[in-house]
Amino acid sequence: MSIITRSLFKSYGNLVAVNGIDLDIRGGKVFGFLGPNGAGKSTTIKLLTTLIPPTSGTIQILGLDAIKNPLDVRKRIGVVLQQPSYEPNLSVEKSLEKYGMMWDVDRKTRKDRTDELIDVFELQEIRKKKNEDLSIGQRRRVQVAREFIHDMDLLFLDEPTVGLDPGARRNLLDFLKNKARDGLTIFYTTHVLTEAEYLCDEIAVINKGKILAVDSPEHLKSTFGQEKTIKIHLLDRIEKLPNLLSSIAGCKIDFNAGTDIIIQSSKAEIILSQVLSILIENNIPIEDLSAMPTTLEEIFLKMVKEKNASNN
Ligand SMILES: Nc1ncnc2c1ncn2[C@@H]1O[C@H](COP(=O)(O)OP(=O)(O)O)[C@@H](O)[C@H]1O
Ligand SMILES: [Mg+2]
């Protein structure tokens, strides 16, 4: 196991940011930590990387007690935190070089890796530019790239794709996939379900400092992600709408102000076709219609609700 925690807690005054987390993460895998803003993702990363001490609980990283031996742990891990960190006056090339020197990487390896990373992270055009002259997305790419200048057994990445355009995002995810294939263990936080699904072997869903589920992306998705939300906006207010649609079973239908129909279902297409045929039969005109995957936020809310209900 690369990471083992037991009853991990971190409080800030009255606020419990990490509320009793148990993790067992195997080596050579990408482990996703998926949760909305404020869920406790960054706090967990800071605990696991020994940057802050826990209020209570145990942390074992690569077989080491991280609370007793933080320095030994830090030598073997890489960390890309959520906060931007860069030296404004250094060029992209020099930042990578300097980071390599900090990690005692020999000169030849430093040079080879700098060239490789500049290539992989598509930094050729900005390699001589100063960090302060880069866009946020470019800075983020440099910040992630430089972490690969040194060897490590375990890498922590805190929402590394925020600010990247879709091409750069996909590029980074594929690069990480390859690294994992070569044996690197990666702990990856995100609030984007599709990203976790694409990259991770296993995902923990976290909310309010607690893990709600740990599973493979396939299984999580089939449990929580199939649902769509369909919204139909009618031209006129129809009083008898709930009555007309009462025969449709197997889903939740909400009516807003008598002019909106909101359907949440994992069989949204089937339900939609039933709703449409009833509207057409009754000559009810539609002004607007949209269908989209139920957002992660809504899935979370549902999970939390189910959790609360089962606790009562
Ligand atoms: N240094 C701190 N002092 C006080 N509260 C904090 C501190 N760091 C984080 N928090 C709080 O802990 C909770 C979890 O934060 P965080 O771990 O940053 O969440 P996430 O990374 O999932 O968005 C939030 O409510 C946040 O406001
Ligand atoms: Mg965070």
Side-chain angles (χ1 to χ4, degrees), residues 142-174:
V142 175
Q143 194 186 350
V144 177
R146 73 173 182 189
E147 204 57 45
F148 288 93
I149 216 93
H150 68 95
D151 292 317
M152 60 200 139
D153 299 310
L154 174 58
L155 173 64
F156 295 87
L157 295 159
D158 198 359
E159 304 209 36
T161 55
V162 171
L164 301 195
D165 61 54
R169 181 180 293 240
R170 176 54 75 92
N171 202 21
L172 173 61
L173 297 180
D174 286 338

Side-chain angles (χ1 to χ4, degrees), residues 41-42 82 158-159:
K41 302 183 296 297
S42 297
Q82 192 167 18
D158 198 359
E159 304 209 36

Side-chain angles (χ1 to χ4, degrees), residues 59-60 96-97 142 147 161 166 237 249 280 295:
I59 307 171
Q60 214 189 81
L96 296 180
E97 169 76 12
V142 175
E147 204 57 45
T161 55
R237 190 183 150 85
I280 292 164
T295 64

